[in-house]
Structure formats: C-alpha cells, structure tokens
Amino acid sequence: MKEHTEVTIYDIAKKLNLATSTISRALKDHHSISKKTIEKVKKTAEEMGYRPNNLAASLRSKKTKTIGVLLPTIEQPFLASLISGIEITAKKAGYNVIIVQSHDSYKGEVNLVQSLYNNRVSGIICSLAMETKDTSHFQLFIDSNTPLVFVDRVPKEEFNTYKVIIDNYNAGYKATKHLISQGCKRIAHLAAGSEFSIYYERKKGYLDALKEFNLPIEDELIVKLDGITLEEAARATNKLLDLKNPPDGIFAPGDILGVSAIQCAKKRGIKVPEDLAVIGFNNDPISQIIEPHLSTITNPGSKMGQASAEIILKTLKSKDKDEVKETRVLNTEVIIRESSKRK
Amino acid sequence: MKEHTEVTIYDIAKKLNLATSTISRALKDHHSISKKTIEKVKKTAEEMGYRPNNLAASLRSKKTKTIGVLLPTIEQPFLASLISGIEITAKKAGYNVIIVQSHDSYKGEVNLVQSLYNNRVSGIICSLAMETKDTSHFQLFIDSNTPLVFVDRVPKEEFNTYKVIIDNYNAGYKATKHLISQGCKRIAHLAAGSEFSIYYERKKGYLDALKEFNLPIEDELIVKLDGITLEEAARATNKLLDLKNPPDGIFAPGDILGVSAIQCAKKRGIKVPEDLAVIGFNNDPISQIIEPHLSTITNPGSKMGQASAEIILKTLKSKDKDEVKETRVLNTEVIIRESSKRK
DNA sequence: TTGTAGGCGTTATCAT
DNA sequence: ATGATAACGCCTACAA
C-alpha cells in the first residue's frame, strides 16, 4: 500500500519554482499575484492533489472559521431547527459548526465551554442548561474577545452579552389572552422550569393576563411540573381535573405538555375545546397531529439560529467591538387550532 | 481594556525554569515525569490561566480528535437521535463532533466532504444524500486512511467501507407480515425514494411478504411518492381510497406517511384499523400522538450513532487497518399499536 | 509581482 | 526525570 503523504504549498512551490508565499497568495486570489500565476498554481495544486490544511492556517492566522454550539439537547424539534438555522448561515460564510450537548447539566456545560475554548472556536452560541444559575464560565470568551451569543435560554439581565430570544412574557400573555377571548374563566397553568427560566416568564405573562381581565389567580390552578414530559403533564392535568372546581382552559408552556393535557382530558371524557380549551407552545409537529389540533405559540427556531449566527459573523467582521451588546427579540404568533376554538 | 495574551506552555516553562517538553508531558500525566513536577506544573498552569491550544496540538500530532458528521438534515427525529448517539459516544472519548447537512444535494455533499477533509477530521460518519449515486468523493478519506462509516443510507455493496444499518428488507417484510397476520388481504404500499435507497429495500420486503403468503401484487396498490411529506402521502392515500377495490392495509415506510394515511382515512370516514390497518416506520414521536396510535417499526437512531462512533474510535486505536470492513446490522422491532390491531 | 524568513503553540526525537 | 531542538503547514511583515 502506498504511503500517503500530504501535498503542501511547499511542494507546489518547489515544482513551480516559486516561493511558498506566492503559492499561499495565489490560492486565495490575492490581488498582487498575476492572473497567469494564479491559474498555473491552481492547476498544479489540483494536479498534485493538494488539500489545504485548515489547522495550520488556523493556528497561524488565529481564525478557526468554526462556531461552537452548546445546547441542552438536540433532540427537540425546536432546538434541531435552531441548529439547522445556525448551520445553514454559518456554512454560507464558510464556517463550520461544532455541536455539543449539555444535557441540562451545569457541570457538563462548564466542561464543554472549556473544550470549545480549547478548540479556539471563532464564536459560540449557547442555550443554557436548566441547572445553570451562574454564567461565569463564559468569562473565558469575553476575556478573549470571542463573540458570544445566548439564545432562547439566556442569562439574567446583568450579564452583558448578545442575546437572541422571543418575548416569553408577552407570548405567555398572548396565549392566556386568547383563552380568555374564547370565554375561559378558570384557566390553569402547567408551571415548568425554575424561577430563572423562560418558563417563568411565560407564567408571568399568564398571571398578568388574568389580572388584566379580572380573573382570579388561584394557586390550585397552577401545577408545578418536575420535567417537560408527557407523564408529568398527565399527572398535573389529572390533578387539575380532579378539582371540585376544575379549569375550563389550560395554558401549557410546551406542546408536549399541551398534547398530554388533551390526551388526558379525552381519556376522562372531557371535551376539548368545549369543556376544556388548551393552548401549547412551540408549534412542534405533534401539535398538528393530536386531535383536536393543538393551538400554540410559534417559536421561530430556525430564524433564531440564523440571527445568532449572523451576530457572530457580524461581530467577527467589525474590528471595533461595541460595548453595548444588542438583544434581538423575534416575533411569536398565536396559532389558533381546534383545541381552543370555542367561539 | 487590557490586551489579551495567550498563556502558552512556554510561559509556564519560563516561570518554573523547566523545558517546554517537560510542561507538555506533565500536563498529560506522562509517566516519566515526577509526581512533584506534575503537580507543580498543573498548579502553575491553573494559576496563570493556561488553556491548551488544541489547534497547535492537532497540527503537530496530526490528530484532531474531531469526528465529522455529514447528514441529509438534522431536522428529523431519527437523525437527531442518530447525532445525539454519536455526540455522546464521541464526547466520552474526548472527541468533538462537526455536523454538516447536505440537504439531500449531491453537490452539497461533495463540497462538505472536501471541507471536512480540509479540517482534517479524525473520522467521518455519513448518511448519503438522496441524490447521491456515486461515492467517489469519499475516496479522499480512504486514501488518507481516515476511518469512514456510512450509516442508514449507505452506498451499494461494491464500496468497501464500514456500514451501520438496519435490515430494511427484513423490516419491510416484518411490517407487511404483521398486516397479513391481522387479516389484511389487499395491502398497499407508499413507495418512496429511488431505486437505490433504503425505501427500495423496504419495498422488496413488502413484495416478498405478499408473495410468501400468496397475496396478489397489484400495481395499483403501490403508489409512488415524490417526497416524504404529509401532503404527498395524503395525495397517495386518497388515490388508493378512490380505487374501485381499495386496500384494507397500508405499509407506509415512514411515520409521517403513516400518520398522513390515518388522517386521510379518518377524514373520509374510513375506520382505522377496522377498514384500513396502517403501519409506519421509525417510531417517531408523532406515532404515539395520532389517534389511533400508529403501529411502526423501531429504527434505533441513537444506537446506530453510538455504533458508528465506536467503529471510528476503534479503528483509530488499532494501527493495523483491517482490509475487510465490517457491516453492523442493528435490530428492528415491530411495535403494534391501535392502527393495526384487528384481531 | 514575487521572495525571504520567522513564528503560530504544541509534540516528537534524541540527548543528557 | 528532564532538556534542547526541530518540525507540523501555513501566513505575513518586510524586502527586493
């Protein structure tokens, strides 16, 4: 078997009696190199089977053309489309994407941040792990002037970085208001996440909508979940429907939860939406499969990914780093389907 | 703002009056270095805020500890869990994962293969684009002795590489046999993909099952699809149900298709499974949301990802590359749900 | 328009 | 157990 040896710009230089610098420039269409030389070099490179070594180039230039993406998981439709949006945008600009999953573990996140740094990614896009309260492990990137964008699950205000989010408070408000508009008087909420999460924002929107329309806020209508699963939501929904005075509407801050609520209600012979109107969140595929189809709030994953990547690319281009980091807030929409149409 | 300067092993060496080689070894717990020195080095490194530069290490050692993953898309539950399986396994071994999407374009795939090579990935895991017929663009990796594993959508026999697949023929056979066992006599098939795809294998299994049980193979019961979408499947199902002699069972080689078939039948007042039994493929989340729940074939994405990554890692470890590349065939199972229970 | 030469940060090889 | 030194492949001032 023939030994494989890498063809380098040095080999091309030797063959053409040129300097490596000329080769290097020619391969990048540097303006100072004559067209003739450029063509000749490219042709020879092709013939010799030359393949640029990005590692060497990155080491020298200190530019890796790689974006690190750190997410809780990729096995959620919303996050998968987020990644897809990032990948497409990055690729267009000639960037690669390294993807790592924290599995919602704080410790995991810290390690992965280190690892991404060690790979000298050009920028990093992150959605925080559920467990994460403190974000000092990202200081690394700030100190080294590496663009950092948080998306979806972002840190608290005080941390000055780029953010790409939706207005979770407003979305929760809109979802609840929609149920109210359908005549719901006792609207329940499945409360997920911790006090510092996007779910908390959605809950605040829910609460404020109730207040605004003079509907009572009742503790028994707000059930805490231990996780975003069908099972937890089923447990919670059963609890709600067991009440003396059960709800006539549910705002579920995730489609899995909303779907589970519907399944649960149906099993008990409770009619959706007549007896119980339900609205979810995310517009996952399952929302259009469940019967009745689940009303929901759009969560523009792909656009958020695109926006995040664009911010990274823009920041890399502009030498002067602005001290005030923008926060992009993308729009959400209420999608009304059968699960909540009562009028 | 203070200028950021990288701390290198050279800086540590100077501070401790040691050679860079000693530092390098100490940081990797090389056995020839005394425990005292190792501790001292690590402590100082920590204090100085040293961060290893993987790029430099990779350039020198010619080992990137990165696995390239090339897939049609990541926005499919099956492929997302495939990636997840790869990522988890790779991470355990200290490897990173670069993910790129071909979007089923042959040209895109060729470019991405080049790009991954230029990044000198340690290994590559690929599921072929729908368009891809010829796989000569992967020769690059074979010539450079880079482990290459195809998964799910793999090239034809003649290409001697590692493969991780399920037995699509057998799965199609099992799915069809199950419908037969439920008393179906006229079983239709939604035919997706090209002649060289996994879908074709599933179809062959379907055909052979019919043959084995002496059921007639009728062209009108096999409808070609132009894509794996709800719409295409709806079109096909309507066509089938419009027949003078409509089918009493459908084998859909994907859950989206099966779900669409059920929705379609329900709209027309056709009872599933009594009038029409349906079985899908993949065990996607939607299969458990649709009413009635969709029978399906498991497609072990996560395990396939894990297996693929393991092969890469194993191959990287063993110096001697075996000339015969193994093909791992993972098990599938029939999951029987309401959509096909007629007995 | 092209060439020279040094360095990016690490690891490998050969010495000591 | 530790050191000295040369690569790895490319880029980029500076020179010509």
Side-chain angles (χ1 to χ4, degrees):
Chain A
M1 182 189 292
K2 84 161 182 241
E3 260 322 291
H4 180 78
T5 15
E6 296 236 346
V7 178
T8 71
I9 54 171
Y10 182 78
D11 299 324
I12 304 176
K14 210 157 63 176
K15 185 152 192 175
L16 293 177
N17 264 317
L18 287 170
T20 57
S21 49
T22 307
I23 309 298
S24 175
R25 289 173 187 133
L27 288 171
K28 315 199 120 47
D29 292 307
H30 195 284
H31 61 272
S32 78
I33 305 290
S34 73
K35 277 204 177 159
K36 243 189 207 164
T37 312
I38 290 184
E39 257 179 58
K40 197 169 56 177
V41 169
K42 285 194 176 172
K43 191 168 154 246
T44 318
E46 171 83 38
E47 283 168 8
M48 297 177 75
Y50 168 76
R51 305 287 165 198
N53 185 325
N54 288 352
L55 282 147
S58 294
L59 176 60
R60 180 58 237 248
S61 66
K62 303 207 170 200
K63 282 173 192 157
T64 52
K65 295 221 152 201
T66 298
I67 295 175
V69 178
L70 171 46
L71 302 173
T73 172
I74 70 173
E75 294 190 77
Q76 271 180 26
F78 167 69
L79 292 176
S81 63
L82 180 75
I83 298 176
S84 188
I86 294 172
E87 200 270 341
I88 291 169
T89 311
K91 204 77 229 162
K92 269 187 203 149
Y95 279 68
N96 278 311
V97 169
I98 289 189
I99 290 166
V100 287
Q101 309 181 71
S102 68
H103 298 288
D104 275 322
S105 142
Y106 170 72
K107 243 181 122 177
E109 187 177 279
V110 173
N111 284 334
L112 293 168
V113 160
Q114 300 277 352
S115 163
L116 289 174
Y117 183 88
N118 293 350
N119 279 294
R120 299 299 189 270
V121 290
S122 296
I124 180 169
I125 296 170
C126 175
S127 183
L128 291 173
M130 204 75 115
E131 282 182 20
T132 301
K133 309 268 187 274
D134 151 83
T135 50
S136 58
H137 44 301
F138 289 98
Q139 193 59 38
L140 215 54
F141 292 103
I142 296 173
D143 290 345
S144 62
N145 252 311
T146 308
L148 170 60
V149 176
F150 286 98
V151 59
D152 191 43
R153 293 205 209 143
V154 304
K156 292 285 95 184
E157 314 294 327
E158 58 264 29
F159 201 56
N160 176 37
T161 44
Y162 291 100
K163 291 172 195 167
V164 174
I165 50 174
I166 54 170
D167 186 339
N168 283 288
Y169 168 83
N170 182 250
Y173 175 87
K174 287 195 290 190
T176 310
K177 190 173 162 186
H178 164 66
L179 291 179
I180 295 170
S181 81
Q182 298 302 302
C184 295
K185 301 288 181 207
R186 289 178 58 74
I187 301 175
H189 177 60
L190 308 183
S194 80
E195 200 180 334
F196 301 103
S197 73
I198 50 178
Y199 296 104
Y200 194 68
E201 293 295 314
R202 293 175 193 172
K203 182 180 164 190
K204 281 204 296 193
Y206 153 82
L207 294 173
D208 280 4
L210 293 185
K211 269 182 219 158
E212 183 171 333
F213 290 91
N214 294 313
L215 292 177
I217 291 168
E218 299 191 27
D219 279 353
E220 63 175 15
L221 291 182
I222 300 172
V223 185
K224 279 221 174 76
L225 301 185
D226 257 358
I228 318 284
T229 62
L230 285 172
E231 294 72 27
E232 268 297 291
R235 185 187 60 71
T237 306
N238 274 319
K239 197 169 159 190
L240 286 167
L241 297 177
D242 283 341
L243 290 175
K244 270 190 201 161
N245 202 354
D248 57 3
I250 295 185
F251 166 41
D255 283 343
I256 308 182
L257 309 178
V259 162
S260 182
I262 292 178
Q263 287 179 331
C264 204
K266 279 166 74 180
K267 258 188 213 145
R268 298 172 63 128
I270 290 172
K271 282 184 186 160
V272 178
E274 294 82 354
D275 304 334
L276 184 71
V278 181
I279 186 164
F281 208 112
N282 277 355
N283 197 22
D284 284 344
I286 53 168
S287 65
Q288 299 188 67
I289 305 297
I290 187 76
E291 296 286 350
H293 288 6
L294 177 65
S295 295
T296 192
I297 305 287
T298 57
N299 201 355
S302 180
K303 274 187 197 161
M304 290 172 87
Q306 193 185 325
S308 307
E310 278 166 2
I311 291 176
I312 299 274
L313 296 171
K314 196 193 76 187
T315 310
L316 285 171
K317 232 186 250 169
S318 75
K319 290 285 158 197
D320 41 58
K321 35 266 172 188
D322 18 288
E323 281 311 303
V324 181
K325 317 293 194 188
E326 86 184 287
T327 292
R328 293 258 308 257
V329 182
L330 301 197
N331 282 330
T332 59
E333 274 168 40
V334 181
I335 299 185
I336 300 166
R337 300 206 183 100
E338 288 69 40
S339 76
S340 69
K341 268 187 210 154
R342 308 220 293 186
K343 293 195 170 168
Chain B
M1 182 190 291
K2 83 163 185 240
E3 261 319 293
H4 181 79
T5 16
E6 297 239 344
V7 178
T8 71
I9 55 170
Y10 182 78
D11 300 322
I12 304 177
K14 212 159 58 178
K15 185 150 192 175
L16 294 177
N17 264 317
L18 287 170
T20 59
S21 43
T22 307
I23 309 298
S24 175
R25 287 173 188 132
L27 290 170
K28 311 199 124 46
D29 291 308
H30 196 283
H31 62 272
S32 79
I33 305 290
S34 73
K35 276 203 176 157
K36 244 189 208 164
T37 311
I38 290 185
E39 257 179 59
K40 196 169 55 179
V41 169
K42 285 194 176 171
K43 192 168 153 247
T44 318
E46 172 83 36
E47 283 168 10
M48 298 178 73
Y50 168 77
R51 305 288 163 197
N53 185 324
N54 288 351
L55 282 147
S58 294
L59 176 60
R60 180 62 238 240
S61 67
K62 304 206 169 198
K63 281 173 194 159
T64 52
K65 295 222 151 202
T66 298
I67 296 176
V69 177
L70 172 46
L71 302 173
T73 172
I74 70 172
E75 295 190 77
Q76 273 180 26
F78 167 69
L79 292 176
S81 62
L82 181 75
I83 298 175
S84 189
I86 294 172
E87 200 269 341
I88 291 169
T89 311
K91 204 77 229 163
K92 269 188 204 149
Y95 280 67
N96 278 311
V97 169
I98 288 187
I99 289 167
V100 288
Q101 308 183 72
S102 67
H103 298 286
D104 276 322
S105 143
Y106 169 72
K107 243 181 121 178
E109 187 176 279
V110 173
N111 284 334
L112 292 169
V113 160
Q114 300 276 352
S115 162
L116 289 174
Y117 183 88
N118 293 350
N119 278 294
R120 300 298 190 270
V121 290
S122 296
I124 180 170
I125 296 170
C126 174
S127 184
L128 291 172
M130 204 76 116
E131 281 182 23
T132 301
K133 309 266 188 276
D134 151 81
T135 50
S136 58
H137 45 300
F138 289 98
Q139 194 59 38
L140 214 53
F141 292 103
I142 297 174
D143 290 347
S144 61
N145 253 311
T146 308
L148 169 60
V149 176
F150 286 98
V151 60
D152 192 43
R153 292 206 209 142
V154 304
K156 291 283 97 184
E157 315 293 326
E158 58 265 27
F159 202 57
N160 176 36
T161 45
Y162 291 100
K163 291 172 195 166
V164 174
I165 50 174
I166 54 169
D167 185 339
N168 282 287
Y169 168 83
N170 182 250
Y173 174 87
K174 286 195 291 190
T176 310
K177 190 173 162 188
H178 164 66
L179 291 179
I180 295 170
S181 80
Q182 299 300 303
C184 295
K185 301 287 182 208
R186 288 179 59 74
I187 300 174
H189 177 61
L190 308 183
S194 80
E195 200 179 333
F196 302 103
S197 72
I198 50 177
Y199 296 104
Y200 194 68
E201 293 296 314
R202 293 174 193 174
K203 181 180 164 190
K204 281 204 297 192
Y206 153 83
L207 293 173
D208 281 4
L210 293 185
K211 268 183 217 155
E212 185 173 330
F213 290 91
N214 295 312
L215 292 178
I217 290 169
E218 298 191 28
D219 279 352
E220 63 175 14
L221 292 182
I222 299 173
V223 185
K224 279 222 174 76
L225 302 186
D226 257 358
I228 317 284
T229 62
L230 283 172
E231 294 72 28
E232 267 296 292
R235 186 188 60 70
T237 306
N238 274 319
K239 197 168 158 190
L240 286 167
L241 297 178
D242 284 340
L243 291 174
K244 270 189 201 161
N245 202 352
D248 57 2
I250 295 185
F251 166 40
D255 284 342
I256 309 182
L257 310 177
V259 162
S260 182
I262 292 178
Q263 287 178 330
C264 204
K266 278 166 74 180
K267 257 187 213 147
R268 298 171 63 128
I270 291 172
K271 282 186 187 159
V272 178
E274 294 82 355
D275 302 334
L276 184 71
V278 181
I279 186 166
F281 208 110
N282 277 355
N283 196 21
D284 284 344
I286 52 170
S287 65
Q288 298 188 65
I289 306 297
I290 186 77
E291 294 287 349
H293 288 5
L294 177 65
S295 295
T296 192
I297 306 287
T298 57
N299 202 353
S302 180
K303 275 186 197 163
M304 290 171 87
Q306 191 184 327
S308 307
E310 277 166 2
I311 291 176
I312 299 273
L313 296 171
K314 195 191 78 186
T315 310
L316 285 172
K317 231 186 250 171
S318 74
K319 290 286 156 196
D320 41 58
K321 34 266 171 188
D322 18 290
E323 280 312 303
V324 182
K325 316 293 194 189
E326 87 185 283
T327 292
R328 291 260 305 260
V329 182
L330 301 198
N331 282 329
T332 59
E333 274 167 42
V334 181
I335 298 185
I336 301 167
R337 300 205 183 100
E338 288 70 41
S339 76
S340 70
K341 267 188 210 155
R342 310 221 292 186
K343 291 197 170 167

